Amino acid sequence: MFDSGVDKCLSDFNRSMETSGYQDRCPWPTGKHVYNQLKSCVDDFAIGSWCRGHGFLVDTIFLEVHKVYFKLCGQVHDPPLTTLILLIAPVVIATLSLPVLCVNLTTWKTE
């Protein structure tokens, strides 16, 4: 009973996720509603089937769902090159100009 109910939940979820573009990017913000529906559906079948060890079965199902649909969500991507340049350039300029400024300030009154 648990397996047949969960198969229905998973088929609805799979159908909804096919349009999310999960192969190219993390579908989490847009897929949250569908994911919550899947969780609710699986939990209802787990409780309704009175299946012993249903927590383990539910965990196994969601591990597989995460491996397939949410594997790109934890990956950190580098920012674009322009952003890196805008973040690093002021530090480099300040570092290179500080010795020149110090020399000019210390020798300003002596001339």
Side-chain angles (χ1 to χ4, degrees):
M1 184 171 137
F2 176 76
D3 289 337
S4 64
V6 169
D7 286 341
K8 182 188 178 328
C9 297
L10 284 173
S11 67
D12 293 343
F13 179 77
N14 292 337
R15 211 172 317 111
S16 297
M17 289 301 288
E18 290 301 321
T19 61
S20 70
Y22 70 91
Q23 297 93 346
D24 302 324
R25 60 180 170 76
C26 177
W28 178 246
T30 57
K32 184 177 180 181
H33 179 68
V34 179
Y35 183 84
N36 287 337
Q37 286 178 340
L38 174 67
K39 180 166 176 21
S40 170
C41 182
V42 170
D43 286 344
D44 289 345
F45 277 107
I47 292 169
S49 67
W50 293 61
C51 187
R52 290 186 185 259
H54 69 273
F56 172 74
L57 296 172
V58 170
D59 290 345
T60 304
I61 291 165
F62 280 100
L63 282 174
E64 289 301 317
V65 165
H66 280 261
K67 283 180 188 176
V68 172
Y69 294 107
F70 300 105
K71 63 184 171 188
L72 295 177
C73 292
Q75 295 179 350
V76 177
H77 300 287
D78 290 335
L81 183 60
T82 55
T83 305
L84 286 175
I85 290 171
L86 290 173
L87 288 172
I88 295 171
V91 175
V92 171
I93 291 170
T95 303
L96 294 176
S97 64
L98 192 59
V100 174
L101 180 66
C102 288
V103 167
N104 284 339
L105 286 176
T106 56
T107 61
W108 179 50
K109 292 285 186 180
T110 61
E111 293 178 1

